[in-house]
Amino acid sequence: MKEKTINPTKMTRERILSALETLREYKKAKLALEERIIEDEQWWRLRHWEVLRRKKASFQNDIEPASAWLFNSLINKHADIMDSFPEPVCLPRSADDKDTAKLISSILPVILEQNDFEKTYSDNSWYKLKHGVSGYGVFWNTAKENGLGDIDIKRIDVLNIFWQPGITDIQDSANLFIVNLVDRDRIYDAYPSIKKQLIKTDDKVIELGTYIYDDAINTDDKLLVIDWYYKKIVNGVTCLHYCKLIGDTLLYSSEEDPLYVQRGWYDHGCYPVVFDVLYPEEGTPFGFGVIAITKNPQTYIDRMDKNLIENMDWATRIRYFGKKSMGINEEDFLDLDRRIVEVEGDISDERLRQITVTPFSDVYLSLKKQKIDELKETSANRDFSQGSVMGGVTAASAIAALQEAGNKNSRDMISSSNRAFVKIVTLVIELLRQFYTENRTFRIVGPSEDGYEFVTFDNSLLNVSGNADEVFDRKLSRRPVFDIDIKARKRNPYSRLSQNELAKELYSLGVFDAGNEQKALALLDIMDFDGIEKTREQIRAKMTGGLGV
């Protein structure tokens, strides 16, 4: 049954002004989060004394030691995350889609690599650890591939995105705004017909939160570009619509576009944004990060360092009490090159006495160590997780076992990132379904002599009823759906070392000898190392009389 055609809807000035007022409300509700993020960034840069000085005037002109215990905790957690960089595997829900799932599994890593996703994942992991949440945007970029268009996976600064207060899932927000400062010339190049109109436009709808930079940034020649996403129910289906604004000037509206008025901007009907949260908070889609739970002990560690250094400074400077009428030539006394210091009257301790400073008790040093241990424990950054050895443990396998046992927090943190990654990959597949109307060629890892092969792909495999432009009726067409499994690209040298040692031991026991091929294949099913697929192929070839191992 063909659906009724819906005529384009005019994006009126009243609707635009209402949307801008909504954006201001969202911005106002998010001020506390933005202030916390900007402040946490100063802690990350070891400039937390600047934050403390603003809060307490008595810290002015004091010694300001900045130890890096908090910093060290963050970099170790980031290393754990990147040790388990995710790779997607598509699993079909129907037997008919098995080949399609295998093909998509092979091209997804290529799409991620073309988007330099590993860097985006790394940058967002830093952001997540520092601030408790990071944002990914999965968009269709019509400018890519010389105008053919392709998928764009970007990092979104949380300072630049605005959602409805009080919701816990970003998809439940009534509107979503992504705001960026863009060079005026780039806007004129993209939209030359509205150049004169923009000259008169006041684009200062809101003031974006900004970090504290060392360099001066001039924004006079930039315009505030607003990407406004909102959802509407069309024919019983949730449709996502999109507007691009500069102030109250409309650049584009999907509701005014005949191609998208009925189907929406993206067929999947979801906001193209994924939040990756570290420690969640109730009633909000963001959370808090490692800095929030460690800056208190870090403050006391540095304050104790400050007192210890001041005590050392006093104790190592030789200073004296002297009577006003002590009768000593002060300039001669302070000049170390003087052989003779003139005095009047008898030389006596009563006129000049050295100031002695009582050293700190070991109790205070012990208290500082306890605060350091507290920071390590609360951030789950224990010595073994950093590769440090203690208690006589030196064997690589023992260190690996202790690391794995102590990394429960890291594994839980990585699991939350994997859940966000599943959402990202799901949005990528939906964009493949909607926009890959032309054949694309991908170079993937394959069994050929070169170690790779070329495959072609278009969205006909994802839209069984025909071309996506004809089957966006999600209620009538059969659309292959996939479950996403995550395979971690583990890089931990100790875990690999222990696996390889086990493999060598099994090899020496004859597991891979002639007649033991089935046992060897069963063994490989429970192992993980680089080149495992090639090893499997060689064993299978040996079973069939081909090349052996």
Side-chain angles (χ1 to χ4, degrees), residues 9 15 230-234 237-241 255 261:
T9 304
R15 291 181 66 189
Y230 57 96
K231 296 180 180 181
K232 293 183 69 176
I233 303 298
V234 179
V237 177
T238 300
C239 290
L240 177 75
H241 279 291
E255 281 197 88
V261 60

Side-chain angles (χ1 to χ4, degrees), residues 99-296:
D99 292 338
T100 303
K102 184 178 179 181
L103 180 59
I104 293 176
S105 295
S106 66
I107 68 172
L108 280 174
V110 181
I111 294 173
L112 295 174
E113 184 177 349
Q114 289 172 347
N115 278 277
D116 200 9
F117 181 74
E118 185 168 355
K119 182 181 184 305
T120 302
Y121 186 77
S122 174
D123 292 344
N124 263 7
S125 296
W126 285 120
Y127 203 98
K128 172 185 175 180
L129 290 168
K130 291 185 288 185
H131 309 307
V133 61
S134 60
Y136 294 89
V138 185
F139 309 103
W140 181 257
N141 187 343
T142 56
K144 275 191 163 184
E145 299 294 326
N146 295 319
L148 182 61
D150 210 340
I151 295 167
D152 225 353
I153 306 175
K154 292 184 176 181
R155 170 181 174 269
I156 300 178
D157 194 325
V158 177
L159 295 184
N160 294 0
I161 185 168
F162 304 90
W163 58 87
Q164 181 181 1
I167 54 103
T168 55
D169 186 342
I170 196 68
Q171 297 299 331
D172 294 335
S173 181
N175 302 271
L176 185 73
F177 299 91
I178 302 175
V179 184
N180 289 288
L181 283 169
V182 181
D183 289 337
R184 188 182 296 268
D185 291 340
R186 288 182 58 190
I187 297 296
Y188 290 164
D189 290 342
Y191 303 93
S193 61
I194 59 172
K195 182 175 181 179
K196 292 182 180 179
Q197 185 178 356
L198 286 180
I199 292 175
K200 302 176 183 178
T201 297
D202 180 14
D203 72 305
K204 302 302 181 184
V205 178
I206 59 171
E207 288 290 335
L208 283 180
T210 57
Y211 301 102
I212 301 173
Y213 299 107
D214 288 333
D215 51 345
I217 299 177
N218 186 3
T219 60
D220 292 343
D221 205 32
K222 294 180 181 291
L223 294 171
L224 207 64
V225 179
I226 302 167
D227 291 332
W228 169 31
Y229 296 90
Y230 57 96
K231 296 180 180 181
K232 293 183 69 176
I233 303 298
V234 179
N235 291 326
V237 177
T238 300
C239 290
L240 177 75
H241 279 291
Y242 163 68
C243 276
K244 184 178 282 291
L245 306 167
I246 297 180
D248 58 1
T249 301
L250 178 66
L251 301 183
Y252 175 82
S253 170
S254 60
E255 281 197 88
E256 293 186 353
D257 192 331
L259 292 176
Y260 296 103
V261 60
Q262 183 173 351
R263 66 192 299 176
W265 183 242
Y266 292 131
D267 286 353
H268 53 63
C270 300
Y271 293 126
V273 170
V274 175
F275 276 177
D276 184 7
V277 178
L278 184 56
Y279 303 122
E281 299 180 38
E282 291 298 329
T284 176
F286 61 84
F288 57 93
V290 176
I291 291 177
I293 61 174
T294 55
K295 63 183 178 183
N296 185 276

Side-chain angles (χ1 to χ4, degrees), residues 526-541:
I526 60 173
M527 298 186 69
D528 181 25
F529 55 87
D530 288 337
I532 190 171
E533 290 299 328
K534 186 176 182 180
T535 305
R536 278 199 184 99
E537 291 171 8
Q538 289 176 328
I539 293 174
R540 291 193 182 102

Side-chain angles (χ1 to χ4, degrees), residues 438-490:
E438 303 287 340
N439 262 332
R440 313 274 181 125
T441 301
F442 295 89
R443 186 188 69 225
I444 64 172
V445 176
S448 65
E449 293 182 1
D450 296 327
Y452 59 84
E453 60 183 350
F454 295 95
V455 298
T456 58
F457 177 82
D458 64 36
N459 65 358
S460 61
L461 295 173
L462 295 174
N463 298 286
V464 174
S465 300
N467 188 280
D469 289 335
E470 302 170 357
V471 296
F472 61 84
D473 181 353
R474 281 156 278 179
K475 296 183 291 185
L476 301 178
S477 62
R478 189 183 88 77
R479 300 161 63 85
V481 180
F482 307 94
D483 295 317
I484 308 299
D485 192 18
I486 301 298
K487 177 184 176 184
R489 193 167 71 194
K490 193 71 174 176

